[in-house]
Amino acid sequence: MKTGPGLAGIMAGLFENIEIRVPERRFQNWADFTTNAPEYSIGLEVMDDTPGHQGHYAHFDHHCGVIREVTMSAAMQVYIAVRQGRIMERWLRHKQPIPVYVWNADQDVCLSAFVLEYHYMLERVEGTPLLRWIVQYNNKIDVCGGLYPVRLDELVKNHFTWVFEPYMEQRSRGKEQGDAELVTKTIRAVCDRLLALIEGRAGTSPITARPDILYRSGHDFVIAAEKGDPHSRLVLAAEGHRNLISVICQRPSGRFTYSVIRGSPYDEDTFPVIELINAFQAAEDRQDVKIWGGSNLAAGSDSELGSSLHWTQLRDIAERVVSAAAAR
């Protein structure tokens, strides 16, 4: 009998070809996933292990065990799996709907879910040019952890910001136990906007993000408060910032959600992300829990538990780590 992480919620009726499932905890590894999810299951950034597929299980991710700059975003991986690999066409013969496990509803996950649900749009020879454009644009932004230099007016004009506007609510709240309904409805809302985009009914949403720069380091990184707006990183990138410690939100518990992003893979000797998160982890109040993790370019604190450290503590630790790196 499968016990697994348990499901905080399964929302039925919102999709036809997929069934969104939000587990109560992330899957620890492939063994956990394949043991506790049914055959023909797909995970979207819900497992702390490398992406890929094993038998009739697939996990699309670009955070754990990867080189970020050479790993496609989850949505681009799904796009290739559907258009070239025809994963949905094959698996739907055996199981319908396909269980799709998610942890949150960020842009990459929402876009991935759309591609899986509306797979038939991609399986045609002509594909869907507007969908291809937004997948490609998302890929560039997401691989760089959102810190990618783009023309902000172009994102607005091409409806990118409008499409993902429903994600803003969950982003500002952080990950919470029992938020399966919010996560699923957010994915559905973004899917509806993607349909509107493809059908020529899309609106526009201006970028109004005004991140607060809390600290500027002489070692070429900043600490900034996003104030719940994921577009803050695009604003910071447009202003020329490349290395970032981002304060995403403070949780009701008083703990914090952070991201650590290096805009260039060639700045590793000056802004070593892995060394930084290891040092942050060592300073946490809970050493029995892995609070910090991620890849070589983008990492962060656990989205549910959060970090006990105030940003000023991160500042002091980061300065020590980065100063040591610069001296090598």
Side-chain angles (χ1 to χ4, degrees):
M1 179 178 178
K2 294 177 183 282
T3 55
L7 287 179
I10 300 175
M11 296 292 291
L14 297 180
F15 299 90
E16 179 181 352
N17 295 305
I18 65 174
E19 181 183 79
I20 298 295
R21 300 186 174 192
V22 185
E24 294 173 354
R25 63 167 175 81
R26 295 173 61 85
F27 293 99
Q28 296 177 2
N29 48 41
W30 274 101
D32 188 11
F33 186 44
T34 57
T35 299
N36 295 303
E39 193 176 16
Y40 298 104
S41 286
I42 293 174
L44 300 177
E45 299 188 351
V46 73
M47 178 170 60
D48 297 323
D49 206 342
T50 53
H53 73 274
Q54 293 187 13
H56 298 138
Y57 293 85
H59 184 240
F60 300 102
D61 195 1
H62 63 130
H63 296 88
C64 184
V66 303
I67 299 174
R68 183 91 174 199
E69 66 270 26
V70 298
T71 303
M72 296 180 291
S73 67
M76 183 62 83
Q77 293 172 38
V78 171
Y79 187 95
I80 297 296
V82 167
R83 183 158 172 80
Q84 191 272 342
R86 297 185 181 271
I87 184 175
M88 292 298 286
E89 177 187 296
R90 296 172 185 273
W91 285 15
L92 283 168
R93 297 171 189 166
H94 304 278
K95 190 176 186 67
Q96 188 169 4
I98 298 294
V100 175
Y101 290 83
V102 305
W103 185 239
N104 59 26
D106 69 13
Q107 291 131 309
D108 207 19
V109 170
C110 290
L111 189 51
S112 298
F114 181 90
V115 171
L116 292 170
E117 172 68 12
Y118 297 97
H119 59 97
Y120 48 84
M121 291 184 178
L122 280 73
E123 291 164 353
R124 298 192 295 257
V125 172
E126 71 276 13
T128 304
L130 280 173
L131 180 59
R132 181 169 64 247
W133 175 87
I134 206 164
V135 169
Q136 291 171 339
Y137 222 127
N138 173 78
N139 186 63
K140 296 173 184 177
I141 293 172
D142 214 48
V143 163
C144 298
L147 203 65
Y148 183 76
V150 295
R151 288 179 56 94
L152 301 181
D153 58 343
E154 183 178 339
L155 286 180
V156 173
K157 180 179 65 177
N158 290 324
H159 315 289
F160 186 93
T161 53
W162 179 83
V163 163
F164 294 112
E165 195 174 39
Y167 164 54
M168 299 286 284
E169 181 181 356
Q170 191 197 357
R171 175 74 173 184
S172 63
R173 288 174 54 172
K175 177 67 181 173
E176 299 174 344
Q177 276 290 334
D179 64 356
E181 183 174 2
L182 172 62
V183 169
T184 305
K185 288 185 174 179
T186 299
I187 294 172
R188 180 65 260 176
V190 172
C191 287
D192 289 341
R193 292 199 176 196
L194 284 163
L195 283 175
L197 171 69
I198 291 169
E199 295 167 359
R201 300 184 288 106
T204 58
S205 179
I207 293 177
T208 58
R210 296 293 182 269
D212 287 338
I213 296 182
L214 305 173
Y215 177 72
R216 298 176 186 269
S217 171
H219 290 101
D220 194 27
F221 74 86
V222 297
I223 300 177
E226 293 188 11
K227 298 188 290 189
D229 194 330
H231 298 144
S232 291
R233 299 182 192 182
L234 295 174
V235 172
L236 291 166
E239 293 174 351
H241 299 292
R242 291 293 177 270
N243 300 314
L244 170 67
I245 297 175
S246 176
V247 185
I248 296 175
C249 65
Q250 184 173 13
R251 309 181 57 75
S253 64
R255 300 175 75 90
F256 299 90
T257 302
Y258 295 109
S259 286
V260 181
I261 304 165
R262 185 173 75 245
S264 168
Y266 304 102
D267 286 343
E268 186 172 11
D269 54 342
T270 58
F271 196 71
V273 171
I274 300 300
E275 287 184 40
L276 285 167
I277 64 172
N278 287 342
F280 296 156
Q281 176 68 49
E284 287 287 352
D285 60 341
R286 295 278 304 274
Q287 292 301 308
D288 60 318
V289 178
K290 183 182 178 183
I291 294 176
W292 292 84
S295 65
N296 61 319
L297 288 186
S301 61
D302 181 79
S303 58
E304 185 175 14
L305 176 61
S307 169
S308 65
L309 304 175
H310 189 263
W311 73 263
T312 55
Q313 294 172 278
L314 297 189
R315 174 199 63 198
D316 295 343
I317 296 169
E319 281 291 355
R320 185 167 63 249
V321 170
V322 173
S323 296
R328 288 199 288 265

